[in-house]
Structure formats: C-alpha cells, structure tokens
Amino acid sequence: MYKHILVPTDGSSLSRKAIKIAAALARALGARITAIYVVPEGVPTLFSGDRLYGSGILGRQYRELVTSEAKKALAVVEIEAGIAGVAYASVQALAGHPWQEIIRTARSRRCDLIVMASHGRAGLTALALGSETTKVLAHSKIPVLVCR
C-alpha cells in the first residue's frame, strides 16, 4: 500500500500526535518516513509550533532560532521512527508558501502519503492565519491523512 510517508512538522503538540500516527502506520505497512520542517521565507511575524517568532528577532539571531527549532522538531520524528523501527530521513526547507514546499517535497521524494496535523481553527482565526493543511488538501494529488 503506502511505502513512503511524508510528515510535516512545526514542533507543536498536534504535530507530535501526527508523528506518532505516521510512525505507527509506517511500521504496520513496512514504509519509511521523511519529515519536513518548512520555514516561511522572509522575516515576518510567524507562528511555528507553540511559539511566536519575528517580533524583534532579525537576521542572524532569527535564523539561529529557527534552525534550532527545526532541529528539535525533526529530532522528535527521528526518535519516533527509531522507536517504530522504520527508516527515517529529514528535510529543512525555506519557502514562501509552506504548503507548496510540502507538496513539492512529497513529489520529489516520491512519497505516496502525507500525514499531517490540523489545528482545527475556525472562523476569523482560520481566515487570518490560513491553514497549510487545508492548502495541502486542496492542491495535493498525493493522499493526505489529517490528524487532530
């Protein structure tokens, strides 16, 4: 069935839930996992995981902070893949639109399933923040398993 699962992570607790599901699924199917952490391009205020970046953090300090958060988030996937006994790889990317990079990476790495979290925001919050998951769902030809 599925042989290569892409797991986008932002370091949030919801992402960790999706990671656990992806690892268990990969183990059951004999699949491998690739994790991706996408940093939005530029230095606007942005949400990543449970933290707010961009406010007063510019240039080198910003890059160092984001790189550190990416390593932490990707390490969680590596640990879960190790526990499940499945092959693991990771990607850190910079992109103007994270959803596009998620789909591009899934295609280029020949992933046949994307497992990702949804924050389940509604109303004005969803409109203001947008949803990378919703955009992946709308544009991906690769199946997407959404975890809440």
Side-chain angles (χ1 to χ4, degrees):
M1 181 169 245
Y2 299 114
K3 295 295 178 196
H4 191 180
I5 300 170
L6 182 71
V7 184
T9 182
D10 63 2
S12 68
S13 57
L14 280 172
S15 284
R16 287 190 290 277
K17 184 176 179 182
I19 291 162
K20 286 182 179 289
I21 291 168
L25 186 59
R27 180 180 179 147
L29 298 173
R32 59 192 166 115
I33 293 176
T34 295
I36 182 169
Y37 185 100
V38 182
V39 177
E41 199 168 31
V43 190
T45 300
L46 60 108
F47 287 94
S48 179
D50 298 326
R51 296 173 178 84
L52 177 66
Y53 298 121
S55 301
I57 302 172
L58 301 173
R60 184 177 55 83
Q61 289 176 318
Y62 173 80
R63 285 190 304 275
E64 288 172 1
L65 185 58
V66 170
T67 299
S68 172
E69 290 301 313
K71 286 179 183 176
K72 287 180 202 174
L74 293 170
V76 171
V77 186
E78 183 175 17
I79 290 166
E80 289 296 329
I83 291 168
V86 298
Y88 164 82
S90 68
V91 176
Q92 183 179 340
L94 178 68
H97 301 286
W99 67 269
Q100 289 177 332
E101 185 61 26
I102 291 165
I103 293 171
R104 188 198 69 71
T105 300
R107 280 193 215 128
S108 70
R109 299 263 177 154
R110 304 185 114 174
C111 297
D112 48 12
L113 179 65
I114 301 170
V115 176
M116 61 191 303
S118 173
H119 291 276
R121 293 184 179 105
L124 291 176
T125 305
L127 184 61
L129 294 176
S131 169
E132 299 305 316
T133 303
T134 300
K135 292 171 189 166
V136 170
L137 278 168
H139 298 282
S140 179
K141 292 181 179 163
I142 298 166
V144 181
L145 173 62
V146 179
C147 306
R148 280 198 180 169

